[in-house]
Amino acid sequence: MRKPCCEKVDTNKGAWSKQEDQKLIDYIKANGEGCWRSLPQAAGLLRCGKSCRLRWINYLRPDLKRGNFSEDEEDLIIKLHALLGNRWSLIAGRLPGRTDNEVKNYWNSHLRRKLINMGIDPNNHRLNHTLPPRQNQHGSNSTTSSGPKSQVCEPYDQQMKSQGDNDQVSDAASYLNDESCSLPDLNLDLPITTSSPLTTAPEMKQHEPKATPALLLFL
DNA sequence: AAATGTTTCAACCGCTGCACG
DNA sequence: CCGTGCAGCGGTTGAAACATT
């Protein structure tokens, strides 16, 4: 078996302190990203490289937007999820200043529920024939109260396979109706638009994938 | 005001794909 | 071609915050 990415002993876990954040920021400002495995020692942090990478990408990066998602962003996430499934990093790549973790959390805590309440199956973005059990007057919906823990998202391949058995198409899925269903082997590489000044930071995704005509059309 | 239930989100875990020797 | 190590990804967890009873 592969040895763990870091020694379990002598590494901090849990929430990051301000001092740790500052050390990480200082180090990356001085030396740039990369070499996560050796970074903690070099930066004087008692964390594993993975943890440092995650902290930087999800929280400390200067180009992060943070704050509430706009309606445009919500729409885009829903559309992209309909197209890509749980490819959070690809979806986040289309949302300047947003991280995959942030998009994933927002999906699980807000957008899934929103779609369910609209009678749309968030797994395949199609209208449910059987609408979800009506929320009782106090809004606690038994299908949603279990939250992300109960979520089982079909793999994208399975979603694609299952799309044939439902002829009602949701608003989001309707974007795909013709395009993606006839594209069994979608090229999921997406460009990361650099229209926002935020994305010009050197830390942004290094590998900028290419667009497919279908996706450009879709977007 | 206290207890209990629910939601949110930062962080962790384990797996996968890729680069490299 | 194969094995190894690393970075990155998506799923999951758990503590804190918030809402309800």
Side-chain angles (χ1 to χ4, degrees):
Chain A
M1 287 298 287
R2 182 177 295 182
K3 64 182 180 183
C5 76
C6 55
E7 297 301 327
K8 298 292 179 188
V9 294
D10 294 337
T11 55
N12 291 345
K13 293 181 86 170
W16 281 62
S17 67
K18 281 205 161 60
Q19 291 88 342
E20 287 178 308
D21 281 346
Q22 200 52 54
K23 278 185 182 178
L24 184 55
I25 291 168
D26 290 345
Y27 181 86
I28 291 177
K29 273 183 183 169
N31 302 283
E33 284 185 56
C35 245
W36 294 108
R37 195 176 169 81
S38 57
L39 183 150
Q41 199 176 12
L45 286 162
L46 292 174
R47 295 273 180 176
C48 77
K50 227 174 180 178
S51 181
C52 294
R53 177 184 156 273
L54 219 58
R55 183 64 179 171
W56 174 255
I57 288 174
N58 288 333
Y59 203 81
L60 299 175
R61 247 173 37 190
D63 54 328
L64 290 181
K65 198 180 275 181
R66 309 199 67 79
N68 293 339
F69 282 71
S70 66
E71 287 212 7
D72 283 350
E73 286 176 311
E74 283 191 10
D75 283 349
L76 191 53
I77 292 169
I78 291 169
K79 289 173 187 173
L80 286 168
H81 187 270
L83 188 65
L84 299 167
N86 295 356
R87 262 85 156 177
W88 304 117
S89 62
L90 280 175
I91 295 171
R94 298 292 310 186
L95 294 157
R98 301 296 187 185
T99 71
D100 53 355
N101 207 32
E102 198 177 7
V103 171
K104 178 171 64 181
N105 281 333
Y106 192 71
W107 172 266
N108 285 330
S109 60
H110 293 88
L111 297 180
R112 271 186 89 246
R113 196 193 330 273
K114 189 174 171 180
L115 291 187
I116 289 169
N117 287 340
M118 290 164 67
I120 296 169
D121 184 339
N123 292 331
N124 57 21
H125 294 259
R126 286 172 182 271
L127 283 172
N128 284 324
H129 286 299
T130 56
L131 286 171
R134 232 24 262 164
Q135 288 187 7
N136 64 32
Q137 290 306 95
H138 303 292
S140 75
N141 181 339
S142 63
T143 63
T144 61
S145 61
S146 55
K149 291 187 175 74
S150 67
Q151 163 195 18
V152 179
C153 280
E154 287 180 30
Y156 181 60
D157 307 336
Q158 290 172 25
Q159 293 178 26
M160 294 303 285
K161 281 177 200 159
S162 69
Q163 284 184 358
D165 57 8
N166 190 335
D167 53 5
Q168 280 188 280
V169 181
S170 73
D171 184 43
S174 65
Y175 287 88
L176 318 170
N177 202 20
D178 294 323
E179 288 297 324
S180 65
C181 289
S182 59
L183 291 170
D185 194 13
L186 257 182
N187 177 359
L188 294 173
D189 285 346
L190 287 167
I192 297 156
T193 55
T194 53
S195 55
S196 160
L198 291 167
T199 63
T200 58
E203 303 79 25
M204 282 304 277
K205 302 256 181 185
Q206 292 158 354
H207 313 295
E208 298 212 350
K210 299 172 184 62
T212 63
L215 288 178
L216 287 173
L217 194 74
F218 161 70
L219 293 168

